[in-house]
Amino acid sequence: MGSIDWNGEFVAFFLLSVLMITGSVLMVSFTKVVHMVLSMAAVFLGVGGMFIMLDAEFLAFVQVLIYAGAVSILMIFGIMMTNHREAAGESTKPLRETLAAVAAIALFGLLFFVIQAADFTDNSGAAPPPAADNTRAIGELLFHGYIVPFELVSVLLTVAFIGAIVLARKEAE
């Protein structure tokens, strides 16, 4: 087994991984939907951090802006506009939970041993090429070449959101 090089990149990767795994586990463990959405937002922030580590700043920005921001807020608005009643008398099935725990531990063990046995070294010896900053090119293409479809999609999403609010308000009355 190889030794671990404790540099800043490894520590950041470890912390972001812990954030994403914890958020994922909490997402499927919580029973209140608002807590689930907040856990999901933590996972999205962790993924954005991973994109930054991969020198994909545009993807990180989009991940945080669209998923951690807009999708989470949209889900919370949707939760607040609908009626939710706690499910009374919902019983847990201990056999199903035990089998799920055993399967999760087995999957973790399998992944752990496969990753430990894998050879991640680069045998070419050449340094990877520097990352190209294509954020400007994407922006120019989006706002010069595809401005009309971009604006049409934004109007369509706004109309759909307003329609959802109107439908939710009519059901509440």
Side-chain angles (χ1 to χ4, degrees):
M1 289 201 208
S3 64
I4 296 175
D5 183 21
W6 289 92
N7 56 12
E9 184 178 358
F10 177 78
V11 172
F13 176 80
F14 181 77
L15 292 175
L16 289 170
S17 299
V18 167
L19 174 70
M20 291 188 306
I21 291 170
T22 304
S24 301
V25 169
L26 291 176
M27 168 68 186
V28 297
S29 299
F30 283 144
T31 56
K32 295 189 183 268
V33 182
V34 175
H35 296 155
M36 295 167 114
V37 171
L38 293 175
S39 299
M40 186 178 61
V43 173
F44 290 152
L45 290 173
V47 171
M50 290 288 189
F51 280 138
I52 288 175
M53 288 181 58
L54 292 171
D55 291 330
E57 292 86 9
F58 179 73
L59 288 177
F61 175 74
V62 169
Q63 177 75 27
V64 171
L65 185 70
I66 301 297
Y67 286 107
V71 171
S72 298
I73 297 296
L74 186 64
M75 290 180 77
I76 289 175
F77 280 148
I79 292 164
M80 291 184 340
M81 288 193 299
T82 58
N83 292 330
H84 292 287
R85 294 186 182 96
E86 293 293 325
E90 217 177 273
S91 63
T92 60
K93 297 182 170 92
L95 177 63
R96 184 178 292 175
E97 288 180 356
T98 304
L99 288 175
V102 168
I105 291 170
L107 179 64
F108 175 76
L110 176 70
L111 290 174
F112 179 78
F113 287 115
V114 167
I115 290 172
Q116 287 295 322
D119 182 24
F120 292 111
T121 58
D122 183 17
N123 296 331
S124 67
D133 184 21
N134 59 359
T135 305
R136 182 180 178 97
I138 292 172
E140 287 177 356
L141 185 63
L142 183 63
F143 290 114
H144 290 287
Y146 295 101
I147 188 68
V148 174
F150 178 76
E151 291 298 327
L152 287 176
V153 167
S154 66
V155 169
L156 178 69
L157 289 173
T158 304
V159 168
F161 186 66
I162 292 171
I165 291 172
V166 168
L167 288 175
R169 286 291 145 202
K170 282 185 180 178
E171 288 179 5
E173 293 175 356

